Amino acid sequence: MTELAVDTANRSAVPWFKNKKLDQYICFWSVPVFYTLFGLVFVPLSYMMPPRSPAAGIAEVVSFMQSPTLLIASAILILVLGLSAVANACYAVQIRRMSVSPVFLYAFLAGSMVGAIVGCLFPMFCFGLGAFRPGYDPEILAMLYDFGYLSFIGSLGCFCLNWGVLSLAIVLDKNAILPKWLGYYTAWQFATELFAATVWIAKDGPFAWDGLMAFWFNIVIYVPWQIIVYVCVFMAIKNQSETELYSSELESAAPNEKLAYS
Amino acid sequence: MAEYLRNPLCQVWAFLSAMTLASWWVSQGGFEFNVNVLVTVTVLLVSALKVHLVVRYFMEVNVAPRWLKRTMNAWLIVLLALLLGFYFFSL
Amino acid sequence: MTSTNSPAVNLAKPASATSGRVSGESSMWFFIIGDLFIFGAYFVSYMYYRGQDQQLFLEGQQHLDQWIGVVNTLVLLTSSLFVALAAEGARNGNRKTALRMLTIACALGVLFPVLKMIEWLPKLDAGLTPGESLFFMYYYLMTGLHLVHVILGLIILGFVFRELKTAKHPNIGFVETGAVYWHMVDLLWLLLFALFYLMR
């Protein structure tokens, strides 16, 4: 193990492609690529974000759902959705290093998978259907419109679980993998998203799916959080000692529960 | 028992409880459920005072560093100003 | 009481410009300040939407049980006092007093959700659900979010109790952290009480 512990003076001499954490860094840098494409799909290509009004008239709904750029948006989305798994794996690797029960890691992974399918894939498919075959009955499009937005916001239960799990793991962790305050920030993220449950009750006003309380406050908390959390994940990858890297490789080859979270 | 009477925490608590009952009395004082500026302003000011006392004595911000005192004061003042501002704006 | 230390000593310490003592862990203060700003934004939005339709909100306010609101305020204030006394006792090395105070505080804390249910269930039964009006939507969600904070606070106080009961040298910082969180729950309720029950 001692031969592998490269000291700092030595590290700068190692060419980048021999960096022991190269795999982690490649995964990490796929995240901004993913979010850029993701933003492209949801904002300028489909115009589904910021959310349209639940009270929109049928003519408005039809013209939105028959826009041809929705097809491009859907095509890009089905190709890049897999990158969301890589993005979530970046958190998962850090949760795995924490001194918490593995149940946190499994809950996080399962929650993020379900959330991505319901929250990203379903709405875009609903809207894309309108553009795919423009002859659909407007009434059917109106229903798909509701379904699309409700499943878009409706995935927040999964994300609530994700953020709750991540927040608890960070706060309980004794290895100081991610800073404590990030755990608390994640807890606000969790608490504010609880308000999204109201989209099933209110069709207008602050609690509708385009409202101040159900949507805009969440976004104001979420966007900086998403950036900060990735900066913290980057720092965590950077600060990980190479000896730990080596021992975790051994450990995954021959799992030893006591080592994993003692 | 006498020791508790001298304890500032207990004194603050007694004052807070009295203020709670007083603001309730003001709000109930024979008024119907109509817009009432006097009640609203009194109730909001009394609540802000109560919050300030909780922050100062229970949360021990009175012995905290200056940045924390200022943050908590700024939060309370801005919140009170916005609440009263929106209330008067809508009259 | 056997404690020889005058409690006033702790409170009367002069705070200089640059130094001072933060009660509890600083990460908890980070959480508290953020939480206060989030609740603050919610309160201001409540006031804004209230201004759009004062009559609707006043009509809704008539259906609230004022007495439960007052009792709950007193319950939380008293609970907060006992948590503060527990923290003071722990600081003075008086573990027995601290545990007794904390027990009273927890008992009062448990009373809060019970009273909340006594308040909510007949209302929901009478058809006053969140879908009834914007006032009730705000009412259930804001008091519900606060209730989540209360329950979390009770869990934290449980950990504080365990620390005081079992640790050889109780971590005073942890006791204070739990106490400061509980006081935040108290002060948020003071504002909720004024905005939902009292103002006209």
Side-chain angles (χ1 to χ4, degrees):
Chain A
M1 210 179 278
T2 40
E3 330 159 12
L4 273 158
V6 186
D7 61 44
T8 33
N10 227 346
R11 189 181 292 167
S12 55
V14 178
W16 64 270
F17 51 85
K18 283 193 177 163
N19 190 321
K20 291 261 174 339
K21 297 173 188 165
L22 186 63
D23 48 351
Q24 287 203 63
Y25 281 124
I26 290 172
C27 289
F28 179 82
W29 287 112
S30 81
V31 173
V33 176
F34 166 66
Y35 275 100
T36 309
L37 288 166
F38 195 68
L40 208 64
V41 163
F42 282 97
V43 186
L45 281 177
S46 66
Y47 284 113
M48 68 166 280
M49 285 277 283
R52 288 153 175 277
S53 168
I58 284 206
E60 202 184 317
V61 170
V62 169
S63 79
F64 156 59
M65 288 182 64
Q66 290 187 342
S67 132
T69 50
L70 271 175
L71 295 174
I72 307 171
S74 301
I76 295 177
L77 185 72
I78 59 172
L79 290 177
V80 302
L81 191 70
L83 280 180
S84 76
V86 181
N88 285 315
C90 284
Y91 302 90
V93 169
Q94 302 307 327
I95 298 179
R96 189 170 176 274
R97 296 173 57 205
M98 292 176 185
S99 67
V100 292
S101 153
V103 77
F104 285 87
L105 176 60
Y106 298 139
F108 182 85
L109 283 176
S112 65
M113 278 295 98
V114 180
I117 292 167
V118 179
C120 306
L121 220 51
F122 275 23
M124 198 48 79
F125 277 13
C126 287
F127 302 143
L129 267 176
F132 180 66
R133 210 187 289 280
Y136 282 125
D137 185 348
E139 293 290 335
I140 293 177
L141 290 188
M143 191 178 101
L144 282 174
Y145 176 79
D146 283 348
F147 180 32
Y149 271 117
L150 287 175
S151 78
F152 178 63
I153 308 273
S155 62
L156 286 182
C158 296
F159 288 116
C160 266
L161 171 123
N162 268 5
W163 311 147
V165 163
L166 181 63
S167 154
L168 254 180
I170 296 173
V171 172
L172 295 177
D173 169 39
K174 291 200 168 75
N175 296 345
I177 304 296
L178 290 170
K180 269 246 160 72
W181 55 264
L182 186 71
Y184 288 117
Y185 192 165
T186 313
W188 307 331
Q189 176 67 21
F190 164 76
T192 52
E193 284 190 354
L194 290 176
F195 276 22
T198 59
V199 296
W200 282 94
I201 299 168
K203 291 187 186 64
D204 55 7
F207 293 98
W209 74 53
D210 64 338
L212 184 68
M213 300 287 281
F215 180 78
W216 287 106
F217 278 155
N218 294 354
I219 277 291
V220 166
I221 303 276
Y222 169 73
V223 172
W225 176 81
Q226 188 69 80
I227 295 166
I228 289 167
V229 86
Y230 277 110
V231 172
C232 288
V233 165
F234 182 80
M235 297 309 288
I237 298 175
K238 210 175 151 189
N239 294 337
Q240 187 178 15
S241 75
E242 297 207 348
T243 48
E244 189 197 327
L245 216 57
Y246 178 64
S247 65
S248 74
E249 271 163 17
L250 275 185
E251 187 191 291
S252 53
N256 184 335
E257 300 253 308
K258 263 185 194 151
L259 263 176
Y261 60 102
S262 58
Chain B
M1 205 59 217
E3 192 187 329
Y4 283 110
L5 288 177
R6 280 197 309 275
N7 189 328
L9 289 171
C10 296
Q11 292 166 0
V12 167
W13 168 82
F15 183 73
L16 287 170
S17 302
M19 283 291 111
T20 301
L21 292 171
S23 58
W24 180 44
W25 180 77
V26 167
S27 155
Q28 296 301 92
F31 301 114
E32 294 297 308
F33 280 85
N34 292 321
V35 175
N36 191 316
V37 178
L38 194 66
V39 168
T40 304
V41 171
T42 314
V43 160
L44 286 181
L45 286 176
V46 168
S47 302
L49 176 66
K50 277 155 66 182
V51 167
H52 182 68
L53 291 175
V54 169
V55 168
R56 215 176 137 74
Y57 292 102
F58 286 179
M59 295 171 107
E60 300 178 329
V61 169
N62 60 340
V63 294
R66 193 182 269 174
W67 66 266
L68 186 56
K69 271 187 199 171
R70 287 196 173 160
T71 312
M72 297 304 277
N73 287 341
W75 171 75
L76 189 57
I77 290 166
V78 169
L79 179 65
L80 188 66
L82 284 171
L83 289 178
L84 285 173
F86 276 112
Y87 181 73
F88 280 109
F89 188 71
S90 66
L91 284 179
Chain C
M1 286 295 104
T2 46
S3 105
T4 45
N5 246 348
S6 164
V9 172
N10 292 316
L11 290 165
K13 250 186 281 174
S16 73
T18 48
S19 70
R21 210 186 64 86
V22 175
S23 184
E25 289 161 19
S26 48
S27 58
M28 180 49 93
W29 275 99
F30 174 81
F31 176 74
I32 286 173
I33 291 168
D35 222 36
L36 290 179
F37 274 94
I38 290 171
F39 264 93
Y42 288 161
F43 292 149
V44 172
S45 94
Y46 168 80
M47 208 55 148
Y48 171 77
Y49 283 102
R50 190 183 197 283
Q52 307 285 306
D53 195 349
Q54 300 247 36
Q55 282 314 315
L56 178 92
F57 279 71
L58 284 165
E59 208 278 318
Q61 279 182 293
Q62 289 184 38
H63 295 289
L64 299 190
D65 300 289
Q66 296 275 338
W67 70 271
I68 298 188
V70 176
V71 171
N72 259 343
T73 311
L74 294 177
V75 162
L76 272 192
L77 276 174
T78 314
S79 179
S80 238
L81 168 72
F82 280 102
V83 166
L85 289 174
E88 196 179 81
R91 241 192 330 252
N92 293 343
N94 207 331
R95 202 193 283 209
K96 232 177 169 177
T97 314
L99 276 172
R100 196 165 53 222
M101 296 299 174
L102 199 60
T103 310
I104 301 172
C106 288
L108 287 164
V110 170
L111 201 57
F112 185 89
V114 172
L115 282 166
K116 203 90 233 144
M117 286 308 128
I118 294 176
E119 189 183 6
W120 274 3
L121 293 178
K123 271 198 196 56
L124 291 169
D125 218 30
L128 295 171
T129 58
E132 175 70 12
S133 73
L134 190 55
F135 172 78
F136 280 101
M137 184 71 102
Y138 262 110
Y139 166 72
Y140 283 110
L141 281 171
M142 299 292 290
T143 53
L145 188 62
H146 179 261
L147 193 63
V148 171
H149 279 72
V150 171
I151 290 164
L152 183 63
L154 286 171
I155 295 169
I156 293 176
L157 288 186
F159 280 110
V160 170
F161 190 89
R162 194 182 70 172
E163 176 80 17
L164 278 172
K165 185 97 184 167
T166 60
K168 205 165 253 172
H169 302 286
N171 178 355
I172 305 298
F174 180 65
V175 176
E176 285 180 349
T177 304
V180 164
Y181 176 86
W182 191 249
H183 298 318
M184 179 197 72
V185 171
D186 180 27
L187 85 80
L188 286 174
W189 178 258
L190 293 179
L191 289 168
L192 283 166
F193 178 58
L195 290 173
F196 285 92
Y197 294 80
L198 298 181
M199 71 171 286
R200 297 285 179 261

